Amino acid sequence: MIREAVIMGAGLGSRLKDVTKDMPKGFLELDGEYIIETSIRKLLAHGVERIIIGTGHCSHWYDKLAKKYPAIETVYNERYADTGSMGTLEVCAPLVTGDFLLLESDLIYDSIALFTLINDPHRDVILGSGATNSGDEVYLEVNQDTHIHNISKKLTELNGHYAELVGISKLSVKTLEAMCKFAQDRHACNPKLEYESALVGAQKSGCKLFVRKIEYLAWREIDDASHLAMAKKKVLPRILENELLRQVRREVLLNPGPATTTDSVKYAQVCADIC
């Protein structure tokens, strides 16, 4: 069972301009709730007991959230403005004690994503999806064993692509250590290294990172105003519908006999739940 999660939340969110000038992207509000808080609730519902959040820009927002949720621990990346997402993951790494979920902070997603990763038999899994037509896709290229081979926003850098990167992965401590080693070897030449490059680096160093694809997963990373509009109008309604349908209750009569008034009442309740 996965008991820990790491959320990278240090970014400036500069493409959202004034919207995130005084707050992190994770505190964009959809359906009356911060997107980071929605993610945290989903993690807790799936058995995660400890959530490490790497902070930077407007870190006090996350520190305040940590007072509401005892499961949260915040770690401040002092160099958040000069490092990429891997720099934030590196400051979180010493706190990780076992296999964990790694998430980006600016995501909305169907909770089936967490269920799929947690129950996947592979120890290290990168989650992918089918086409999103978002205009800001990150593509995953895999080898013949469906392990990651390359990750890029440019299709010209890939020999075909298998899926789009969602921004949620299940990783082992061994792979985290390999990612950190990859980054440390490149600090001087690439201080703004992103974690995606380190995932590929870990694979090349001998780790086996399987790519699990959910073709029609409802999700959206929110980087700019167009992504935010898409999230509100198209993606969030799909997520809410999917998750609501999975909550439908069905009652099965193990020893069905002649219909009774009680049976009719139960049937009516099931129909009401479905509707």
Side-chain angles (χ1 to χ4, degrees):
M1 188 67 181
I2 301 297
R3 300 296 186 188
E4 294 184 349
V6 174
I7 300 177
M8 297 173 292
L12 290 165
S14 56
R15 282 195 277 171
L16 281 160
K17 300 180 181 179
D18 289 344
V19 176
T20 51
K21 180 181 178 181
D22 299 314
M23 70 177 190
K25 281 195 294 183
F27 289 86
L28 293 168
E29 194 170 320
L30 290 180
D31 196 34
E33 187 174 54
Y34 299 134
I35 61 174
I36 187 67
E37 191 163 6
T38 302
S39 186
I40 287 166
R41 286 194 302 100
K42 291 180 180 183
L43 288 167
L44 294 174
H46 280 79
V48 173
E49 299 173 349
R50 185 167 177 246
I51 302 171
I52 303 162
I53 304 180
T55 69
H57 174 60
C58 295
S59 61
H60 60 279
W61 285 73
Y62 286 113
D63 294 336
K64 183 178 179 180
L65 190 64
K67 294 178 180 179
K68 182 177 179 180
Y69 293 93
I72 296 177
E73 297 177 44
T74 60
V75 187
Y76 183 63
N77 177 10
E78 295 181 351
R79 299 187 61 243
Y80 71 90
D82 302 314
T83 59
S85 56
M86 191 58 212
T88 299
L89 181 55
E90 285 181 89
V91 301
C92 295
L95 278 70
V96 176
T97 63
D99 294 0
F100 67 104
L101 294 172
L102 177 63
L103 301 90
E104 299 176 22
S105 65
D106 54 355
L107 292 173
I108 63 170
Y109 57 89
D110 186 335
S111 59
I112 199 69
L114 301 180
F115 178 86
T116 300
L117 288 180
I118 290 170
N119 290 283
D120 192 285
H122 298 86
R123 193 162 183 188
D124 293 283
V125 189
I126 300 171
L127 185 62
S129 77
T132 61
N133 301 309
S134 68
D136 194 37
E137 298 89 345
V138 177
Y139 300 103
L140 302 174
E141 179 187 350
V142 299
N143 62 22
Q144 61 184 7
D145 298 316
T146 325
H147 293 141
I148 195 66
H149 180 71
N150 203 357
I151 303 175
S152 179
K153 287 188 174 184
K154 299 179 180 178
L155 286 173
T156 54
E157 296 180 348
L158 307 177
N159 296 314
H161 74 281
Y162 174 69
E164 292 182 17
L165 178 71
V166 173
I168 310 176
S169 302
K170 179 178 71 173
L171 301 174
S172 64
V173 172
K174 176 184 176 182
T175 293
L176 177 60
E177 291 172 349
M179 292 172 69
C180 290
K181 176 64 166 59
F182 179 86
Q184 290 162 8
D185 291 344
R186 288 157 180 80
H187 279 166
C189 62
N190 191 3
K192 292 197 173 185
L193 185 77
E194 301 294 347
Y195 84 100
E196 295 94 333
S197 297
L199 286 171
V200 176
Q203 171 74 24
K204 291 181 178 179
S205 72
C207 299
K208 301 298 182 184
L209 281 73
F210 182 76
V211 175
R212 172 63 66 193
K213 182 178 181 180
I214 305 177
E215 181 69 39
Y216 300 109
L217 179 68
W219 71 280
R220 178 66 260 152
E221 179 185 17
I222 303 174
D223 281 327
D224 58 30
S226 66
H227 294 165
L228 182 57
M230 183 185 296
K232 289 179 178 179
K233 295 179 181 179
K234 296 182 178 181
V235 183
L236 183 61
R238 286 179 56 206
I239 292 173
L240 294 176
E241 180 181 50
N242 291 347
E243 293 181 341
L244 181 62
L245 287 172
R246 288 198 297 274
Q247 293 175 13
V248 170
R249 295 177 305 221
R250 293 179 175 84
E251 297 190 24
V252 178
L253 298 177
L254 298 179
N255 297 297
T260 66
T261 302
T262 302
D263 295 335
S264 298
V265 171
K266 288 182 178 180
Y267 179 75
Q269 181 60 55
V270 171
C271 290
D273 289 339
I274 294 174
C275 296

